[in-house]
Amino acid sequence: MNASKKSHCKIVDCTIRDGGLVNNWDFSVEFVQHLYNSLNEAGVEYMEIGYKNSPKLLKGAEDAGPWRFLDDDFLRKVIPQKLNTKLSALVDIGRVDENDILPREESMLDLIRVACYIQDVPKALELVNVFNSRGYETTLNIMALSNVMENQLLEAFELIEASVVDVVYVVDSYGSLDPNDFNYLVSKFQKYLPSKRLGVHTHNNMQLAFANTLISVEKGVEFLDASVYGMGRAAGNCPTELLVAHLKNTKYNVRPVLDMIEKHMITLREKEEWGYIIPYMITGMLDEHPRSAMALRNSDDKDKSVDFYDKLTTPEVLHSK
Amino acid sequence: MNASKKSHCKIVDCTIRDGGLVNNWDFSVEFVQHLYNSLNEAGVEYMEIGYKNSPKLLKGAEDAGPWRFLDDDFLRKVIPQKLNTKLSALVDIGRVDENDILPREESMLDLIRVACYIQDVPKALELVNVFNSRGYETTLNIMALSNVMENQLLEAFELIEASVVDVVYVVDSYGSLDPNDFNYLVSKFQKYLPSKRLGVHTHNNMQLAFANTLISVEKGVEFLDASVYGMGRAAGNCPTELLVAHLKNTKYNVRPVLDMIEKHMITLREKEEWGYIIPYMITGMLDEHPRSAMALRNSDDKDKSVDFYDKLTTPEVLHSK
């Protein structure tokens, strides 16, 4: 019905990278290959196939699946034939070894995205410079924007606007933002970053991930993060199938995404948990990191959401924020 | 974050009435009493406690729970003490016996809502007249608006504007509408029904029920249908807990709704199914009644959504619509 016919959008499917936060990146090669082929047939522009952090710089993660520390030789075996869908990887400040990053012409990756908190924007832009000079498309993903003060943001905008980064992301890390908030933030980013393209990464704590993405599309945002069946940490992300179905671009086709869901995601969701679950709704409404809710969900008290709500809203806890 | 502080809203919790479509109204008296007390403590203005249809006019429903055919004597036992939350019942055209409707001063009910398709608006308004003359608040809920032609709607508006009905509802029966559609429909209703108050009833097939409700609030819509944990037929409704948490009206308190979810809804959801489920997403995106998806979910092929999608999108099926 009356859907946006914007053809400027590019979907970045984060099922493996963000979904890996749910299952410790325990995806089989067959799963990832099926996803890549499905996304390609669906017309999805990018697949974020994991993190490009270095295992040397992230201790205690030795048991994680290979998508947490992408290796170029391994990737070439997984995807022997690149199709239309480009490949992306995310890196975190302080966890990536620049020496691991091949020049783009020798790499399977097209896009490298740098995630950081507001105070690390200068460091993030140094990394962006390195990846840009090696030929990659780059994005800067500023996390936890709901907790950033205006003056910090304006300082960061100056640095970003002067940088070589291609795309700047509005990231609703806690799933606490509503369509009005996205409207406001996207307008602000557009005002202060006139030379940059914009992206959004939403979370579904309050069942607003898809709606917040749609409002951003209306405002001209180009890069839309999503994941199949919404798989992602805690409440998860904007579902890829909804974007592909609703953005009435003739290049998109929802059928291959439905196939991926039928073949893999339904059974995966029976084993692993993500989505609209009350403790995540509570951290979203309180504008908090979901870690306390994740701990609750891993305990015997996982459905005791009234106690959980009381703890998070007692004056002692509020004052220690 | 930055939530609407509109104080004009009234939440109509439909958990028993619409949720009854899921479990054949098999709610215990204790469940309904706990819900009533929870909604009252939460500050919710109305509880729709069931249908006021007549069992004589609806054959084959003898096994339904008592909330399908509300009886005044029974209601007085369930809710011996009315609190601030008012009680509502829905009636369907042709299924209500006017002789069953007591004068309001002898009844537990405050609000009677009449649901109808566009062609039955004249009959619905006759019923509205009867209920109005007996002292009740009344609403007219026009279903399946996504399949209504402009000329039909304009004709209906003339009758409605001239009638005594208090509130007119925009109902997204198939969960196929997005925020732009609600924006458009609410504007149209406001233009042609300047003397009426408006309401919305949304469905969550595309995870847009809450967002569509919020956009309607922004535009001045007053009556917001919702249900606890989203319980309702097929993809379900806008969750009451999200409205109570997000509409930053000081009269609302989410804690009693969380308590209702913890005590009753989590276990109920394990037995009964509603919510964002792929076949319902498919009927939503195709702007269809969910009955085909409900049949699929009751079959052995419940997760075969690719076949289901193919069937609904073959030319033969499309041409027979």
Side-chain angles (χ1 to χ4, degrees), chain A residues 249-266:
Chain A
N249 192 318
T250 51
K251 74 182 165 183
Y252 292 132
N253 176 12
V254 74
R255 193 181 185 281
V257 187
L258 298 176
D259 177 66
M260 180 72 201
I261 293 173
E262 181 175 328
K263 291 227 170 62
H264 288 287
M265 302 308 290
I266 300 289

Side-chain angles (χ1 to χ4, degrees), chain A residues 1-4 246 248, chain B residues 146-147 176-178 181 206 284-285 287:
Chain A
M1 291 301 295
N2 189 21
S4 305
H246 200 69
K248 292 277 189 307
Chain B
S146 58
N147 285 3
S176 62
L177 304 180
D178 71 12
D181 299 318
M206 301 194 295
M285 68 173 274
D287 190 21

